[in-house]
Amino acid sequence: MSAERICLIAGLGNPGPDYEGTRHNVGFDFVEKMLAKLPGNWEKIHAFNSYCWKGTYAGQKLILQTPLTFMNLSGNAVAGLARAEKIAPEQIMIVHDDMDLEPGRIRLRANGSSGGHNGIKSVIEQLGTQNFSRLRIGIGKMANGHGSADFVLSKFQPEEQALMDQVLAMAVDAAILAMRRSLQMAMAQYNNKLLSIENKTEDNTLK
């Protein structure tokens, strides 16, 4: 993947009040946190079956997007917007939940397979390439080590939500670093961090 500047960040989730605050919607929550963090004025539009916020950051175009297609068809919204705005896949970052990461972790990567995530699978299909960056937010699995549709569509418990608020703030900082400096620098700084419920940050090297 080339060192293209990220100029489209899409947070994945499901639209509607029934899905607000669920584990599967952390991509939507990320976009809300990022809009609160970034300076400047952002123009909100409804286009390509999604909400988009258009503006500039560090002197370059930046669009934040939340597809309204439901998760399994996220790629329709992302690819449609990217083509209209002439944004290359290498300039796109997708933010989504990941059951294979424990709560408290995020993971940036430059490309790769869907990892079983239906939203990422749809984006790959519609863009015709795996060469777009991802910011994965850990939601963990059930106590028995399994995941299910009921689990990912469940809401965070209060203690979990407190941790997730910290994780989302960290994810926003990681995305900003990726834009201002490089994805590789953000990966080096954040991929091994672990936030705990006790509000401590640990640097754990993954084996």
Side-chain angles (χ1 to χ4, degrees):
M1 180 173 175
S2 64
E4 293 273 7
R5 167 67 184 267
I6 296 165
C7 55
L8 169 58
I9 300 179
L12 304 189
N14 288 309
D18 289 345
Y19 299 100
E20 290 179 3
T22 63
R23 301 169 199 275
H24 220 22
N25 269 37
V26 294
F28 281 13
D29 298 335
F30 169 90
V31 170
E32 182 179 340
K33 290 273 189 184
M34 191 154 196
L35 285 167
K37 174 90 171 184
L38 293 178
N41 297 316
W42 295 85
E43 177 191 6
K44 182 179 180 180
I45 62 173
H46 186 193
F48 300 100
N49 209 356
S50 62
Y51 286 127
C52 307
W53 291 263
K54 304 178 78 170
T56 59
Y57 180 69
Q60 296 193 43
K61 174 175 75 173
L62 177 63
I63 304 174
L64 305 181
Q65 181 186 33
T66 54
L68 303 176
T69 54
F70 287 94
M71 185 67 79
N72 293 1
L73 298 174
S74 299
N76 295 345
V78 173
L81 176 63
R83 289 173 184 136
E85 295 287 339
K86 295 180 172 51
I87 296 171
E90 293 82 3
Q91 297 174 302
I92 299 171
M93 174 180 283
I94 306 295
V95 184
H96 66 95
D97 61 297
D98 194 317
M99 288 192 298
D100 292 328
L101 284 179
E102 64 184 297
R105 288 195 188 278
I106 65 172
R107 186 68 49 78
L108 296 116
R109 63 186 301 186
N111 50 39
S113 69
S114 69
H117 192 283
N118 287 332
I120 295 297
K121 181 180 178 182
S122 175
V123 174
I124 291 172
E125 289 174 349
Q126 294 302 317
L127 289 178
T129 180
Q130 298 182 358
N131 290 330
F132 55 89
S133 61
R134 302 94 189 273
L135 199 171
R136 300 153 53 199
I137 298 175
I139 61 169
K141 297 180 180 179
M142 295 183 291
N144 61 9
H146 297 292
S148 69
D150 288 341
F151 175 72
V152 298
L153 296 178
S154 66
K155 295 182 183 293
F156 292 106
Q157 297 300 310
E159 186 177 67
E160 294 176 309
Q161 187 61 60
L163 174 61
M164 188 54 56
D165 288 342
Q166 298 174 51
V167 172
L168 288 168
M170 178 172 70
V172 167
D173 289 342
I176 288 173
L177 181 61
M179 288 189 297
R180 292 192 66 89
R181 303 297 295 272
S182 71
L183 182 67
Q184 289 69 29
M185 182 174 289
M187 291 167 63
Q189 182 163 329
Y190 289 99
N191 276 5
N192 290 329
K193 285 188 179 295
L194 173 64
L195 296 182
S196 68
I197 290 175
E198 291 77 19
N199 198 25
K200 296 177 181 178
T201 304
E202 302 173 3
D203 287 319
N204 289 349
T205 300
L206 299 181
K207 304 299 183 183

